[in-house]
Amino acid sequence: MPELPEVETIRLQLAEKLVGKQIVGIKVLLPKQFQGEVEEVIGARIIDVGRRAKILLIHLDNDRSILIHLKLTGQLIWAPKTELPGKTTHIIFEINDGRLFFNDLRAFGWVRVIRGFGDFGDFGVEPFSKDFTVEYLGRVFAGTSRPVKLVLMDQTKIAGIGNIYANEALWEAGILPAKPAKNLENLEIEKLRNSILVVLKEGIKYGGASAADEAYVKPNGSKGKYQEHFRVYQRGGQPCWRCGGLIKRVSLGGRGTFFCPVCQK
DNA sequence: CATTGTCCCTGGAAGC
DNA sequence: TGCTTCCAGGGACAAT
């Protein structure tokens, strides 16, 4: 499922293909996934491709932006003008020199047209911003007894972390996912902040994670490689890379949660 | 306000 | 073999 590193990888590839290009048409094959008026973006030029949390922002030269959330199985595929849509293609952006397919098997994702260039949604700090400090995390954790993993994934607190990177960051920091957030000590918070940055950077470095049974691919169709570097995610029953203990899988907040019961405290 | 539960959707796996 | 049931999962929204 595309999280910050996957969306960032897509953003970088799309920016190369799209900036300066013109949207000459849009075909909406599944209306529930497109919110807004098609007419508002046809003819506009793309001036930038950005990201906020797990949302892609395509900024246009007519004071409009196209927001895209890929949720679990969304894909954005850059293709030649002549290429035909696949069976999960739900929206087609016709660009002057190609087409961008929005594919989404489970149809949870969405595309939305807004006025302006941002200022939408209720999101917490970006992990790579200067506001993502130990003090900020401490304040966020202090107010809640929820499992720390659920707080990491709460987009209104920290933007962009999903199930994969929450699991990996907690392993990296040696902290149990179910530990109540307010019980973390300062040293643990400091370690966790660093671990979040480490795993997100690793994710970006390897072009995101195309894990088993997941749909993520880059706009050029190639897979990411971060799944080859998972320490805990989808490794239930296998030995811990750090201590040899067996990785355990439990459900936390309805999400698969992986950790080493020996070296995560 | 904080937190938990429900639902959206599909393919693959498991059960019979 | 073929049918039915169950499950995963981000986040909007409703309920507590």
Side-chain angles (χ1 to χ4, degrees):
Chain A
M1 74 275 335
E3 307 178 24
L4 187 155
E6 288 74 30
V7 179
E8 191 61 23
T9 301
I10 292 168
R11 183 187 76 77
L12 287 166
Q13 277 201 3
L14 280 189
E16 259 178 56
K17 303 291 183 192
L18 294 181
V19 170
K21 306 289 176 59
Q22 186 175 30
I23 299 175
V24 297
I26 296 183
K27 290 198 185 82
V28 177
L29 307 177
L30 189 59
K32 78 155 198 169
Q33 293 199 273
F34 187 94
Q35 300 152 20
E37 300 301 324
V38 166
E39 296 75 30
E40 289 190 350
V41 294
I42 290 177
R45 281 187 182 279
I46 295 161
I47 58 180
D48 188 29
V49 182
R51 178 192 60 77
R52 176 79 171 107
K54 303 173 191 171
I55 297 170
L56 270 170
L57 318 172
I58 299 177
H59 297 309
L60 308 177
D61 65 354
N62 63 351
D63 193 40
R64 298 288 193 286
S65 299
I66 301 171
L67 313 189
I68 302 176
H69 199 312
L70 298 169
K71 289 286 183 83
L72 306 181
T73 54
Q75 300 175 328
L76 287 168
I77 303 294
W78 177 253
K81 287 174 86 166
T82 51
E83 190 146 323
L84 297 173
K87 54 182 179 293
T88 64
T89 300
H90 297 154
I91 296 166
I92 306 169
F93 296 88
E94 306 284 1
I95 310 300
N96 56 295
D97 68 341
R99 29 181 35 177
L100 184 66
F101 292 121
F102 173 82
N103 302 336
D104 192 359
L105 174 66
R106 296 190 197 168
F108 278 15
W110 47 256
V111 174
R112 183 178 302 160
V113 179
I114 65 161
R115 262 171 206 281
F117 295 91
D119 192 32
F120 62 93
D122 176 19
F123 296 111
V125 300
E126 286 288 332
F128 291 121
S129 83
K130 62 173 169 38
D131 297 329
F132 186 57
T133 61
V134 175
E135 291 69 31
Y136 176 80
L137 262 191
R139 253 177 285 135
V140 165
F141 290 166
T144 181
S145 55
R146 300 175 77 203
V148 59
K149 178 176 177 242
L150 300 189
V151 181
L152 293 188
M153 293 172 65
D154 183 340
Q155 302 301 300
T156 69
K157 305 291 194 297
I158 308 164
I161 299 177
N163 202 27
I164 292 174
Y165 295 92
N167 278 298
E168 294 296 322
L170 286 164
W171 179 87
E172 188 74 28
I175 297 168
L176 287 171
K179 185 162 183 169
K182 66 181 181 188
N183 292 359
L184 267 72
E185 291 165 23
N186 267 337
L187 269 177
E188 291 179 304
I189 297 173
E190 198 174 329
K191 204 167 180 185
L192 182 52
R193 176 185 170 278
N194 290 336
S195 298
I196 288 166
L197 294 175
V198 164
V199 299
L200 291 177
K201 281 177 191 165
E202 285 274 297
I204 293 170
K205 175 178 158 190
Y206 290 107
S210 298
D213 76 13
E214 280 162 24
Y216 165 74
V217 292
K218 304 176 205 174
N220 66 10
S222 70
K223 292 186 170 191
K225 292 196 182 303
Y226 184 62
Q227 68 279 8
E228 297 168 11
H229 303 270
F230 287 164
R231 301 297 199 259
V232 283
Y233 187 71
Q234 290 184 340
R235 292 196 65 243
Q238 298 178 47
C240 172
W241 284 38
R242 187 162 46 207
C243 75
L246 292 189
I247 302 300
K248 203 173 168 190
R249 182 194 193 281
V250 297
S251 183
L252 207 56
R255 266 65 182 169
T257 299
F258 302 85
F259 63 100
C260 173
V262 179
C263 65
Q264 289 178 252
K265 312 275 183 200

